[in-house]
Amino acid sequence: MTGQLDVAVVGAGIIGLATALTLADRGHRVTVYDPAPLSGASHHAGGMLAPAAEVVYKQEPLFPLMRRAAEWYPELIDLTGTYSSAHTGYRIEGTLVVGRDRADREHLENLRAYQSAHGMSVEPLTMRRARSLEPALSPALAGAVRLPGDRQVQPRQFTQALYAACAAAGVRLVDEAVADVRDLPADQVVICAGLGARDITGWYEGERTPLKLRPVYGDVLQLRVPAHQFPLLNHVVRGFVESRPVYLIPRGDGTLTIGATSREDERPQPQAGGVHQLLRDAIEILPAIEDCDFIEATTGARPGTPDDLPYLGRVNDRVVVSTGYFRHGILLASVAARCGAELVEKRAPSLDLSACTVMRHA
């Protein structure tokens, strides 16, 4: 398919906005529909671009997508900067992963072996070296590694920058919900509505959606570092405390993000136990957190699938589906944008998407 197309993108989170901007930059007329832009899972995300640190055992089909997403991310950052001068929070310091006690150190060593076996760059560190990089780390930590290739964005800043870039690139932004894609006046439709994609009709046969999406809730905390302590951290620090994962993300605006719990209890508000757990474990890793200001606790619902792989592919002559990115939506936005645009243009995608076929759980 060649020439200028009228494209409707449903959803104004990071996936929808990145896809819309890419399509507009390719010369298409794009309209984005969302009744509450910038308010979904992206608003609560950590923003780690961590194809190595985010590795989960037995999810090998995800690894090529994550690696390619990291390679393509600078292009997405540059494209955003072409149309908007707003900050994205893009940082390149890398990640430190630490273990609280001997058992956590063993967990760390096993994970490092698994990461290395899959071609990921992981540098073992002595604790002396780790604390020279991040002096505020607890002296009681038992082990550390460094992942130099990891990056981060500030999701709230980045989605706002994408929104502004879309407007500057000529994308029409409509604050309306879409219930049926047949109502959209467009040549092509891209469904990027996260969990909301399961409620959109007009593209599949039968009464039930083929998308098996479920909400996976996560509590996330925002703190402010006092001026006399800033910067408290420079690297993203991920830790294991009694095998529980926790992450701490420093921001250039003086804030610090701590996350994230993971639960499937249909409770969309922050839970006291989750907030307590995150603070307790973060303080074990970075004791100076006790002196930070508490800004907020929020809960986001990540769109999970049965196999934790996204739905990304063409489903008929007019509709492309791009959703279900679970914990990796920020990182995989670069893949969603490039491959989504290629699918709209009916080109072969730049990455093998056979593991992401939309109808695989129908």
Side-chain angles (χ1 to χ4, degrees), residues 188-191 312-316 318-322 340 343-344:
Q188 293 287 300
V189 177
V190 191
I191 301 175
L312 178 56
R314 177 172 286 282
V315 294
N316 60 40
R318 184 169 176 258
V319 178
V320 171
V321 172
S322 180
L343 289 166
V344 164

Side-chain angles (χ1 to χ4, degrees), residues 9 14-24 30 190 192 322 333 336-337 340-341 344:
V9 175
I14 191 168
I15 301 297
L17 293 173
T19 303
L21 180 60
T22 302
L23 286 164
V30 184
V190 191
C192 306
S322 180
V344 164

Side-chain angles (χ1 to χ4, degrees), residues 117-201:
H118 287 86
M120 300 168 193
S121 178
V122 186
E123 300 175 359
L125 296 177
T126 64
M127 283 314 305
R128 176 176 294 183
R129 175 58 178 156
R131 295 192 73 240
S132 72
L133 293 170
E134 295 294 354
L137 290 175
S138 168
L141 296 176
V145 299
R146 181 170 180 259
L147 306 174
D150 286 0
R151 306 287 187 260
Q152 66 150 300
V153 292
Q154 213 288 23
R156 297 181 188 182
Q157 289 183 350
F158 189 29
T159 51
Q160 289 168 355
L162 282 168
Y163 195 83
C166 282
V171 174
R172 183 168 167 253
L173 301 158
V174 179
D175 294 349
E176 295 178 3
V178 173
D180 189 323
V181 297
R182 290 170 294 192
D183 297 332
L184 295 172
D187 302 314
Q188 293 287 300
V189 177
V190 191
I191 301 175
C192 306
L195 284 167
R198 60 188 177 180
D199 300 321
I200 297 173
T201 62

